[in-house]
Each structure stands twice: as structure tokens, then as C-alpha cells.
Amino acid sequence: MDLKPNPTAAVLANPVTISKSRLVVPSGLLPCSPPTLVFSPNLLTVPRKKAGILDVRASSWLDATKSSSPRHKITMNYNHERVSADTDVAYHTWMEKYPSALTYFDQITNFAEGKRIALFLDYDGTLSPIVDNPDLAFMSIDMRAAVAKVAKDFPTAIISGRSRDKVYEFVGLTDLYYAGSHGMDIMVPVRQSSDDSPNCIRSTDKQGKEGNLFQPASEFLPTIEEVFNSLVKSTKEIKGAKVENNKFCVSVHYRNVDEKNWKTVKQCVHDVIRNYPRLRLSRGRKVLEVRPDIEWDKGKAVTFLLESLENGSGLSDHDDVLAIYVGDDRTDEDAFKVLRDGNCGKGILVSSVPKESNASFSLRDPLEVMEFLKSLVTWKKKTSSLNTASKVEKENTLIQT
Ligand SMILES: O=P(O)(O)OC[C@H]1O[C@H](O[C@H]2O[C@H](CO)[C@@H](O)[C@H](O)[C@H]2O)[C@H](O)[C@@H](O)[C@@H]1O
């Protein structure tokens, strides 16, 4: 596997033969009752064409922003400074509802009994720590090695808000699927159901590998470019503001903006997008995301990928697959919800503070994510050798009889 960062979109799969049936996890196997859906929708409805009106309910927006991106930075955790949450009663109470995926690892693998695991990973805040400069959100060498190993054992996809090229540049591994722009830019292998999907075109990646490129928001490309340029212009006087072009969406970062100017950032974004009724706004961790107002999100991307994985034979029609999605952000909630509502997998929320979520389990930070990935590899090795041993034993018994 190529470990070098490479800006080419990659398409690879782990060829495994699968049987035909539905992808369902019996609810009776749940370790605890699924969390009640109290998560509030992540979308801010942007008032269309109300020029001059500042629709920023300052206190609620600021409060939500602070809780979505706590001051206990994951960077601190990642750099081995355990934050006070260890002793935080609220966190431990919260963990009763969202148990640690490490502590409950055996239960998770029990769900996977007789099934194969398909793994979905968010990037920022999940594989890499949250840092002030989005251009420097690198994953560690150890994390890259862990992702590389897990991707050899399980079909694995990265689903990010970043552009597909950018996230591939950061991850730099070829044995994975990549979905950028919150799932609005996906490359999958040819010969599958997606061949017939509208918005799916045959394409060749930078390694010369042929794939199907699924871009449900392709018509928005010129608009997004235009909005990106306008936002760069309108926020240029706000110290610390940063606008990032993620191909089918635009991120406006205010992490490095003085808190008293956060409202100004939001106002700039509203002023620009009110002229674009087909765009909408969502929130992430100290970031406002402008995106096409289409029915597509990370949840839909997971469904699409499940149908497209395994060299095109598809996983979603099979009850021998357990999907595991690991993510830290509001946009990941759409994916957690799809897995929970469809009983087809488990969501794992990465958070060092209590948060309502559609996930079933939690991990505290990227370090714990890495441990979880390593545990999956170890478990796979163990179960494979056990399977081989029992096969040999059966064959020996047959020979003797
Ligand atoms: O879906 P993701 O892979 O989690 O991407 C979501 C956004 O992540 C990035 O922003 C976040 O991480 C930055 C680096 O740690 C941080 O500086 C920023 O405050 C966070 O919001 C990325 O820059 C965005 O474009 C993604 O949409």
C-alpha cells in the first residue's frame, strides 16, 4: 500500500464474496436501548431574500457554537494532556448512554458475528486532531498506519466535508474509498448499481484506475466557485476568518476570529448566500458550511457506498454486513441516523464532552479512534486464525471418518 500523500482520488476495494440478503442488525442484540432521538437538526435555515435583516440570534448561536467546539481542544488530548473530563461526572453519566467503543469492543464485534464489517471514517476531529489551521490538520504516522491496516481487512471509506482531493492528500492511502464535500463527490469502482445512477460518470483517477464518479451536485460547481470568491472578498477584513473551497461546498472558519466578531462572520455569510436560494447553510466546529440545498448528506453517502462497495457487487442488500461509522461532527449525525434507523450498523461519536447524538457508542479523541482501529485488526486476525483452525479440524475429522 502506498503510504505517500498523493493528491489523486483513489478507488480500491477489498474483494470479498458476499451472499444476498438484507443488511439488518437485530435490535435484540443491542447492548443498551438505542439512544432517543433528541439531536437537533444541524441545519440553520437561511432566510431567503431578506436583505438587510440580521438573522443571528446571538446568544443561542454562540452557545451552540461553543458547545459544538468545546474549549477542551482535542489537540490537547492528542498531545497526551488528558483533559479534566476524566473526572467529569457529566461525561461519565453521558457515557452510560454512549458507552465507550473500546470498553464495549466485544459487544460491537458480537454484532459482527457472521457478518463482515464495512468501516466509514470521518476525517477532521476523527482521524486528525482539531487544529487552528485547517491546512495543517495532518494525521499522525501511527494513525495512517492504523488506517492502512484496517483498510486491508475491511472495506473502508473516508467521508469528509473537505474536497475529495484534499482529504486524499491528507490520508494518502490507496486501499480506501473517498467521499468529499460531505458525500457530494464519491468515486467508486465500476460494474455496479451506480452505473445506472444519474450524476454518475465513468472517470479515471490519477493512478489511472477507472471508476464511477458520483457528483449529485455537479451543476452547482460554478455557483460554489462564485460564492467562494464573494466570501473571500466579504470576510477579508475580519481578522482570523478563513474561507476554504471544498469543491461542492464552502467552509467559512471563525476559529481564529475574536469572539466578538463571530456575528460579523455569520452576517457576511448570510449576506452572500441570500442571493442564492438553492444553497443552504450548516454548522460544524467553528465553521459555517455553505452547500447545495439538495437531498444529499453523509447519511445518503453511506447508503450509496454500501450499495457500491466490494468491487461493485454491493453490500446494502446483505444481512452479513455491519457498517461502523466513526465521526465527531454534526454532519456525521446524518450517517449515524441512517445506520440507527436502518438497523444496519453502529455509529461511534468522537467527543471529549457530552453531546446528544444518533450514535450508539463513543470514543474520546483520535487517539482512542486509533486504538479502536487497531483492536479491529487484532480481532480480525484472531477470528481468521480461529476459523482456519476449526476448518482444519473439520477436514481432519472428515479424513478420519
Ligand atoms: O467532515 P470532516 O472531515 O470532519 O470535515 C469537516 C470540516 O473539517 C475541517 O474543519 C475543522 O477542522 C479544522 C482542522 O482541525 C479546524 O481548524 C476547524 O475549526 C474545524 O471546523 C475543514 O477545514 C472543513 O473544510 C471541513 O468541512
mmCIF file with all atom_site columns, all heavy atoms in Angstrom, residues 358-377:
data_model
loop_
_atom_site.group_PDB
_atom_site.id
_atom_site.type_symbol
_atom_site.label_atom_id
_atom_site.label_alt_id
_atom_site.label_comp_id
_atom_site.label_asym_id
_atom_site.label_entity_id
_atom_site.label_seq_id
_atom_site.pdbx_PDB_ins_code
_atom_site.Cartn_x
_atom_site.Cartn_y
_atom_site.Cartn_z
_atom_site.occupancy
_atom_site.B_iso_or_equiv
_atom_site.pdbx_formal_charge
_atom_site.auth_seq_id
_atom_site.auth_comp_id
_atom_site.auth_asym_id
_atom_site.auth_atom_id
_atom_site.pdbx_PDB_model_num
ATOM 1   N N   . ASN A 1 358 ? -26.975 10.650 17.515 1.00 0.00 ? 358 ASN A N   1
ATOM 2   C CA  . ASN A 1 358 ? -27.633 9.453  16.988 1.00 0.00 ? 358 ASN A CA  1
ATOM 3   C C   . ASN A 1 358 ? -26.708 8.242  17.028 1.00 0.00 ? 358 ASN A C   1
ATOM 4   O O   . ASN A 1 358 ? -27.077 7.159  16.585 1.00 0.00 ? 358 ASN A O   1
ATOM 5   C CB  . ASN A 1 358 ? -28.058 9.674  15.535 1.00 0.00 ? 358 ASN A CB  1
ATOM 6   C CG  . ASN A 1 358 ? -29.180 10.673 15.429 1.00 0.00 ? 358 ASN A CG  1
ATOM 7   O OD1 . ASN A 1 358 ? -30.205 10.523 16.072 1.00 0.00 ? 358 ASN A OD1 1
ATOM 8   N ND2 . ASN A 1 358 ? -28.979 11.711 14.643 1.00 0.00 ? 358 ASN A ND2 1
ATOM 9   N N   . ALA A 1 359 ? -25.496 8.471  17.535 1.00 0.00 ? 359 ALA A N   1
ATOM 10  C CA  . ALA A 1 359 ? -24.536 7.371  17.617 1.00 0.00 ? 359 ALA A CA  1
ATOM 11  C C   . ALA A 1 359 ? -24.928 6.429  18.756 1.00 0.00 ? 359 ALA A C   1
ATOM 12  O O   . ALA A 1 359 ? -25.718 6.782  19.630 1.00 0.00 ? 359 ALA A O   1
ATOM 13  C CB  . ALA A 1 359 ? -23.138 7.921  17.848 1.00 0.00 ? 359 ALA A CB  1
ATOM 14  N N   . SER A 1 360 ? -24.346 5.231  18.753 1.00 0.00 ? 360 SER A N   1
ATOM 15  C CA  . SER A 1 360 ? -24.627 4.272  19.820 1.00 0.00 ? 360 SER A CA  1
ATOM 16  C C   . SER A 1 360 ? -23.476 4.187  20.821 1.00 0.00 ? 360 SER A C   1
ATOM 17  O O   . SER A 1 360 ? -23.671 3.805  21.961 1.00 0.00 ? 360 SER A O   1
ATOM 18  C CB  . SER A 1 360 ? -24.832 2.875  19.230 1.00 0.00 ? 360 SER A CB  1
ATOM 19  O OG  . SER A 1 360 ? -25.808 2.903  18.232 1.00 0.00 ? 360 SER A OG  1
ATOM 20  N N   . PHE A 1 361 ? -22.284 4.519  20.339 1.00 0.00 ? 361 PHE A N   1
ATOM 21  C CA  . PHE A 1 361 ? -21.097 4.405  21.185 1.00 0.00 ? 361 PHE A CA  1
ATOM 22  C C   . PHE A 1 361 ? -20.281 5.688  21.086 1.00 0.00 ? 361 PHE A C   1
ATOM 23  O O   . PHE A 1 361 ? -20.579 6.565  20.269 1.00 0.00 ? 361 PHE A O   1
ATOM 24  C CB  . PHE A 1 361 ? -20.238 3.200  20.741 1.00 0.00 ? 361 PHE A CB  1
ATOM 25  C CG  . PHE A 1 361 ? -20.942 1.884  20.897 1.00 0.00 ? 361 PHE A CG  1
ATOM 26  C CD1 . PHE A 1 361 ? -21.617 1.302  19.829 1.00 0.00 ? 361 PHE A CD1 1
ATOM 27  C CD2 . PHE A 1 361 ? -20.953 1.235  22.115 1.00 0.00 ? 361 PHE A CD2 1
ATOM 28  C CE1 . PHE A 1 361 ? -22.281 0.097  19.972 1.00 0.00 ? 361 PHE A CE1 1
ATOM 29  C CE2 . PHE A 1 361 ? -21.620 0.019  22.279 1.00 0.00 ? 361 PHE A CE2 1
ATOM 30  C CZ  . PHE A 1 361 ? -22.282 -0.546 21.203 1.00 0.00 ? 361 PHE A CZ  1
ATOM 31  N N   . SER A 1 362 ? -19.230 5.760  21.896 1.00 0.00 ? 362 SER A N   1
ATOM 32  C CA  . SER A 1 362 ? -18.388 6.958  21.833 1.00 0.00 ? 362 SER A CA  1
ATOM 33  C C   . SER A 1 362 ? -16.910 6.588  21.938 1.00 0.00 ? 362 SER A C   1
ATOM 34  O O   . SER A 1 362 ? -16.558 5.498  22.398 1.00 0.00 ? 362 SER A O   1
ATOM 35  C CB  . SER A 1 362 ? -18.740 7.919  22.976 1.00 0.00 ? 362 SER A CB  1
ATOM 36  O OG  . SER A 1 362 ? -18.388 7.338  24.221 1.00 0.00 ? 362 SER A OG  1
ATOM 37  N N   . LEU A 1 363 ? -16.099 7.511  21.477 1.00 0.00 ? 363 LEU A N   1
ATOM 38  C CA  . LEU A 1 363 ? -14.653 7.458  21.695 1.00 0.00 ? 363 LEU A CA  1
ATOM 39  C C   . LEU A 1 363 ? -14.265 8.875  22.036 1.00 0.00 ? 363 LEU A C   1
ATOM 40  O O   . LEU A 1 363 ? -14.877 9.825  21.544 1.00 0.00 ? 363 LEU A O   1
ATOM 41  C CB  . LEU A 1 363 ? -13.923 6.971  20.434 1.00 0.00 ? 363 LEU A CB  1
ATOM 42  C CG  . LEU A 1 363 ? -14.109 5.486  20.085 1.00 0.00 ? 363 LEU A CG  1
ATOM 43  C CD1 . LEU A 1 363 ? -13.601 5.189  18.679 1.00 0.00 ? 363 LEU A CD1 1
ATOM 44  C CD2 . LEU A 1 363 ? -13.396 4.593  21.110 1.00 0.00 ? 363 LEU A CD2 1
ATOM 45  N N   . ARG A 1 364 ? -13.245 9.014  22.863 1.00 0.00 ? 364 ARG A N   1
ATOM 46  C CA  . ARG A 1 364 ? -12.969 10.355 23.371 1.00 0.00 ? 364 ARG A CA  1
ATOM 47  C C   . ARG A 1 364 ? -12.255 11.257 22.358 1.00 0.00 ? 364 ARG A C   1
ATOM 48  O O   . ARG A 1 364 ? -12.514 12.443 22.275 1.00 0.00 ? 364 ARG A O   1
ATOM 49  C CB  . ARG A 1 364 ? -12.116 10.233 24.633 1.00 0.00 ? 364 ARG A CB  1
ATOM 50  C CG  . ARG A 1 364 ? -12.041 11.477 25.452 1.00 0.00 ? 364 ARG A CG  1
ATOM 51  C CD  . ARG A 1 364 ? -11.070 11.264 26.585 1.00 0.00 ? 364 ARG A CD  1
ATOM 52  N NE  . ARG A 1 364 ? -11.609 10.386 27.595 1.00 0.00 ? 364 ARG A NE  1
ATOM 53  C CZ  . ARG A 1 364 ? -12.223 10.809 28.685 1.00 0.00 ? 364 ARG A CZ  1
ATOM 54  N NH1 . ARG A 1 364 ? -12.399 12.082 28.887 1.00 0.00 ? 364 ARG A NH1 1
ATOM 55  N NH2 . ARG A 1 364 ? -12.671 9.952  29.575 1.00 0.00 ? 364 ARG A NH2 1
ATOM 56  N N   . ASP A 1 365 ? -11.333 10.702 21.608 1.00 0.00 ? 365 ASP A N   1
ATOM 57  C CA  . ASP A 1 365 ? -10.500 11.544 20.731 1.00 0.00 ? 365 ASP A CA  1
ATOM 58  C C   . ASP A 1 365 ? -9.828  10.670 19.661 1.00 0.00 ? 365 ASP A C   1
ATOM 59  O O   . ASP A 1 365 ? -9.965  9.438  19.682 1.00 0.00 ? 365 ASP A O   1
ATOM 60  C CB  . ASP A 1 365 ? -9.450  12.301 21.572 1.00 0.00 ? 365 ASP A CB  1
ATOM 61  C CG  . ASP A 1 365 ? -8.626  11.364 22.438 1.00 0.00 ? 365 ASP A CG  1
ATOM 62  O OD1 . ASP A 1 365 ? -8.469  10.187 22.065 1.00 0.00 ? 365 ASP A OD1 1
ATOM 63  O OD2 . ASP A 1 365 ? -8.135  11.786 23.499 1.00 0.00 ? 365 ASP A OD2 1
ATOM 64  N N   . PRO A 1 366 ? -9.073  11.285 18.735 1.00 0.00 ? 366 PRO A N   1
ATOM 65  C CA  . PRO A 1 366 ? -8.444  10.479 17.676 1.00 0.00 ? 366 PRO A CA  1
ATOM 66  C C   . PRO A 1 366 ? -7.522  9.375  18.207 1.00 0.00 ? 366 PRO A C   1
ATOM 67  O O   . PRO A 1 366 ? -7.386  8.334  17.564 1.00 0.00 ? 366 PRO A O   1
ATOM 68  C CB  . PRO A 1 366 ? -7.662  11.509 16.857 1.00 0.00 ? 366 PRO A CB  1
ATOM 69  C CG  . PRO A 1 366 ? -8.437  12.769 17.042 1.00 0.00 ? 366 PRO A CG  1
ATOM 70  C CD  . PRO A 1 366 ? -8.907  12.735 18.468 1.00 0.00 ? 366 PRO A CD  1
ATOM 71  N N   . LEU A 1 367 ? -6.924  9.607  19.384 1.00 0.00 ? 367 LEU A N   1
ATOM 72  C CA  . LEU A 1 367 ? -6.072  8.535  19.934 1.00 0.00 ? 367 LEU A CA  1
ATOM 73  C C   . LEU A 1 367 ? -6.883  7.288  20.219 1.00 0.00 ? 367 LEU A C   1
ATOM 74  O O   . LEU A 1 367 ? -6.458  6.163  19.933 1.00 0.00 ? 367 LEU A O   1
ATOM 75  C CB  . LEU A 1 367 ? -5.417  9.009  21.239 1.00 0.00 ? 367 LEU A CB  1
ATOM 76  C CG  . LEU A 1 367 ? -4.091  9.725  21.132 1.00 0.00 ? 367 LEU A CG  1
ATOM 77  C CD1 . LEU A 1 367 ? -3.565  10.080 22.510 1.00 0.00 ? 367 LEU A CD1 1
ATOM 78  C CD2 . LEU A 1 367 ? -3.060  8.873  20.390 1.00 0.00 ? 367 LEU A CD2 1
ATOM 79  N N   . GLU A 1 368 ? -8.081  7.488  20.759 1.00 0.00 ? 368 GLU A N   1
ATOM 80  C CA  . GLU A 1 368 ? -8.942  6.335  21.033 1.00 0.00 ? 368 GLU A CA  1
ATOM 81  C C   . GLU A 1 368 ? -9.471  5.733  19.724 1.00 0.00 ? 368 GLU A C   1
ATOM 82  O O   . GLU A 1 368 ? -9.678  4.534  19.635 1.00 0.00 ? 368 GLU A O   1
ATOM 83  C CB  . GLU A 1 368 ? -10.098 6.744  21.951 1.00 0.00 ? 368 GLU A CB  1
ATOM 84  C CG  . GLU A 1 368 ? -9.640  6.992  23.366 1.00 0.00 ? 368 GLU A CG  1
ATOM 85  C CD  . GLU A 1 368 ? -10.770 6.899  24.401 1.00 0.00 ? 368 GLU A CD  1
ATOM 86  O OE1 . GLU A 1 368 ? -11.955 6.770  24.026 1.00 0.00 ? 368 GLU A OE1 1
ATOM 87  O OE2 . GLU A 1 368 ? -10.431 6.974  25.592 1.00 0.00 ? 368 GLU A OE2 1
ATOM 88  N N   . VAL A 1 369 ? -9.672  6.595  18.723 1.00 0.00 ? 369 VAL A N   1
ATOM 89  C CA  . VAL A 1 369 ? -10.092 6.070  17.413 1.00 0.00 ? 369 VAL A CA  1
ATOM 90  C C   . VAL A 1 369 ? -9.016  5.115  16.905 1.00 0.00 ? 369 VAL A C   1
ATOM 91  O O   . VAL A 1 369 ? -9.297  4.006  16.427 1.00 0.00 ? 369 VAL A O   1
ATOM 92  C CB  . VAL A 1 369 ? -10.333 7.217  16.393 1.00 0.00 ? 369 VAL A CB  1
ATOM 93  C CG1 . VAL A 1 369 ? -10.596 6.651  14.999 1.00 0.00 ? 369 VAL A CG1 1
ATOM 94  C CG2 . VAL A 1 369 ? -11.490 8.107  16.839 1.00 0.00 ? 369 VAL A CG2 1
ATOM 95  N N   . MET A 1 370 ? -7.766  5.549  17.047 1.00 0.00 ? 370 MET A N   1
ATOM 96  C CA  . MET A 1 370 ? -6.649  4.715  16.559 1.00 0.00 ? 370 MET A CA  1
ATOM 97  C C   . MET A 1 370 ? -6.628  3.368  17.304 1.00 0.00 ? 370 MET A C   1
ATOM 98  O O   . MET A 1 370 ? -6.455  2.320  16.696 1.00 0.00 ? 370 MET A O   1
ATOM 99  C CB  . MET A 1 370 ? -5.334  5.465  16.764 1.00 0.00 ? 370 MET A CB  1
ATOM 100 C CG  . MET A 1 370 ? -4.155  4.789  16.136 1.00 0.00 ? 370 MET A CG  1
ATOM 101 S SD  . MET A 1 370 ? -2.760  5.894  16.066 1.00 0.00 ? 370 MET A SD  1
ATOM 102 C CE  . MET A 1 370 ? -2.205  5.839  17.738 1.00 0.00 ? 370 MET A CE  1
ATOM 103 N N   . GLU A 1 371 ? -6.840  3.433  18.614 1.00 0.00 ? 371 GLU A N   1
ATOM 104 C CA  . GLU A 1 371 ? -6.873  2.184  19.403 1.00 0.00 ? 371 GLU A CA  1
ATOM 105 C C   . GLU A 1 371 ? -7.987  1.277  18.920 1.00 0.00 ? 371 GLU A C   1
ATOM 106 O O   . GLU A 1 371 ? -7.828  0.061  18.823 1.00 0.00 ? 371 GLU A O   1
ATOM 107 C CB  . GLU A 1 371 ? -7.151  2.525  20.871 1.00 0.00 ? 371 GLU A CB  1
ATOM 108 C CG  . GLU A 1 371 ? -5.925  2.470  21.748 1.00 0.00 ? 371 GLU A CG  1
ATOM 109 C CD  . GLU A 1 371 ? -6.301  2.730  23.187 1.00 0.00 ? 371 GLU A CD  1
ATOM 110 O OE1 . GLU A 1 371 ? -6.851  1.824  23.837 1.00 0.00 ? 371 GLU A OE1 1
ATOM 111 O OE2 . GLU A 1 371 ? -6.086  3.869  23.644 1.00 0.00 ? 371 GLU A OE2 1
ATOM 112 N N   . PHE A 1 372 ? -9.122  1.880  18.616 1.00 0.00 ? 372 PHE A N   1
ATOM 113 C CA  . PHE A 1 372 ? -10.276 1.104  18.147 1.00 0.00 ? 372 PHE A CA  1
ATOM 114 C C   . PHE A 1 372 ? -9.944  0.416  16.819 1.00 0.00 ? 372 PHE A C   1
ATOM 115 O O   . PHE A 1 372 ? -10.227 -0.765 16.632 1.00 0.00 ? 372 PHE A O   1
ATOM 116 C CB  . PHE A 1 372 ? -11.488 2.029  18.007 1.00 0.00 ? 372 PHE A CB  1
ATOM 117 C CG  . PHE A 1 372 ? -12.722 1.329  17.518 1.00 0.00 ? 372 PHE A CG  1
ATOM 118 C CD1 . PHE A 1 372 ? -13.469 0.515  18.363 1.00 0.00 ? 372 PHE A CD1 1
ATOM 119 C CD2 . PHE A 1 372 ? -13.141 1.470  16.200 1.00 0.00 ? 372 PHE A CD2 1
ATOM 120 C CE1 . PHE A 1 372 ? -14.610 -0.149 17.903 1.00 0.00 ? 372 PHE A CE1 1
ATOM 121 C CE2 . PHE A 1 372 ? -14.270 0.814  15.731 1.00 0.00 ? 372 PHE A CE2 1
ATOM 122 C CZ  . PHE A 1 372 ? -15.006 -0.006 16.586 1.00 0.00 ? 372 PHE A CZ  1
ATOM 123 N N   . LEU A 1 373 ? -9.301  1.163  15.911 1.00 0.00 ? 373 LEU A N   1
ATOM 124 C CA  . LEU A 1 373 ? -8.945  0.592  14.605 1.00 0.00 ? 373 LEU A CA  1
ATOM 125 C C   . LEU A 1 373 ? -7.971  -0.577 14.788 1.00 0.00 ? 373 LEU A C   1
ATOM 126 O O   . LEU A 1 373 ? -8.104  -1.632 14.156 1.00 0.00 ? 373 LEU A O   1
ATOM 127 C CB  . LEU A 1 373 ? -8.337  1.655  13.688 1.00 0.00 ? 373 LEU A CB  1
ATOM 128 C CG  . LEU A 1 373 ? -9.222  2.871  13.359 1.00 0.00 ? 373 LEU A CG  1
ATOM 129 C CD1 . LEU A 1 373 ? -8.492  3.815  12.403 1.00 0.00 ? 373 LEU A CD1 1
ATOM 130 C CD2 . LEU A 1 373 ? -10.562 2.450  12.759 1.00 0.00 ? 373 LEU A CD2 1
ATOM 131 N N   . LYS A 1 374 ? -7.017  -0.367 15.690 1.00 0.00 ? 374 LYS A N   1
ATOM 132 C CA  . LYS A 1 374 ? -6.035  -1.448 15.939 1.00 0.00 ? 374 LYS A CA  1
ATOM 133 C C   . LYS A 1 374 ? -6.737  -2.673 16.527 1.00 0.00 ? 374 LYS A C   1
ATOM 134 O O   . LYS A 1 374 ? -6.405  -3.810 16.186 1.00 0.00 ? 374 LYS A O   1
ATOM 135 C CB  . LYS A 1 374 ? -4.963  -0.960 16.912 1.00 0.00 ? 374 LYS A CB  1
ATOM 136 C CG  . LYS A 1 374 ? -3.968  0.016  16.294 1.00 0.00 ? 374 LYS A CG  1
ATOM 137 C CD  . LYS A 1 374 ? -2.951  0.412  17.340 1.00 0.00 ? 374 LYS A CD  1
ATOM 138 C CE  . LYS A 1 374 ? -1.922  1.360  16.800 1.00 0.00 ? 374 LYS A CE  1
ATOM 139 N NZ  . LYS A 1 374 ? -1.043  1.870  17.870 1.00 0.00 ? 374 LYS A NZ  1
ATOM 140 N N   . SER A 1 375 ? -7.704  -2.423 17.421 1.00 0.00 ? 375 SER A N   1
ATOM 141 C CA  . SER A 1 375 ? -8.429  -3.553 18.023 1.00 0.00 ? 375 SER A CA  1
ATOM 142 C C   . SER A 1 375 ? -9.175  -4.338 16.961 1.00 0.00 ? 375 SER A C   1
ATOM 143 O O   . SER A 1 375 ? -9.256  -5.579 17.034 1.00 0.00 ? 375 SER A O   1
ATOM 144 C CB  . SER A 1 375 ? -9.441  -3.067 19.068 1.00 0.00 ? 375 SER A CB  1
ATOM 145 O OG  . SER A 1 375 ? -8.798  -2.296 20.028 1.00 0.00 ? 375 SER A OG  1
ATOM 146 N N   . LEU A 1 376 ? -9.728  -3.633 15.971 1.00 0.00 ? 376 LEU A N   1
ATOM 147 C CA  . LEU A 1 376 ? -10.445 -4.322 14.897 1.00 0.00 ? 376 LEU A CA  1
ATOM 148 C C   . LEU A 1 376 ? -9.503  -5.258 14.135 1.00 0.00 ? 376 LEU A C   1
ATOM 149 O O   . LEU A 1 376 ? -9.859  -6.390 13.807 1.00 0.00 ? 376 LEU A O   1
ATOM 150 C CB  . LEU A 1 376 ? -11.051 -3.311 13.920 1.00 0.00 ? 376 LEU A CB  1
ATOM 151 C CG  . LEU A 1 376 ? -12.358 -2.627 14.336 1.00 0.00 ? 376 LEU A CG  1
ATOM 152 C CD1 . LEU A 1 376 ? -12.747 -1.559 13.314 1.00 0.00 ? 376 LEU A CD1 1
ATOM 153 C CD2 . LEU A 1 376 ? -13.493 -3.642 14.490 1.00 0.00 ? 376 LEU A CD2 1
ATOM 154 N N   . VAL A 1 377 ? -8.289  -4.753 13.880 1.00 0.00 ? 377 VAL A N   1
ATOM 155 C CA  . VAL A 1 377 ? -7.311  -5.561 13.139 1.00 0.00 ? 377 VAL A CA  1
ATOM 156 C C   . VAL A 1 377 ? -6.938  -6.809 13.946 1.00 0.00 ? 377 VAL A C   1
ATOM 157 O O   . VAL A 1 377 ? -6.891  -7.927 13.422 1.00 0.00 ? 377 VAL A O   1
ATOM 158 C CB  . VAL A 1 377 ? -6.059  -4.710 12.793 1.00 0.00 ? 377 VAL A CB  1
ATOM 159 C CG1 . VAL A 1 377 ? -4.949  -5.562 12.199 1.00 0.00 ? 377 VAL A CG1 1
ATOM 160 C CG2 . VAL A 1 377 ? -6.445  -3.583 11.831 1.00 0.00 ? 377 VAL A CG2 1
#
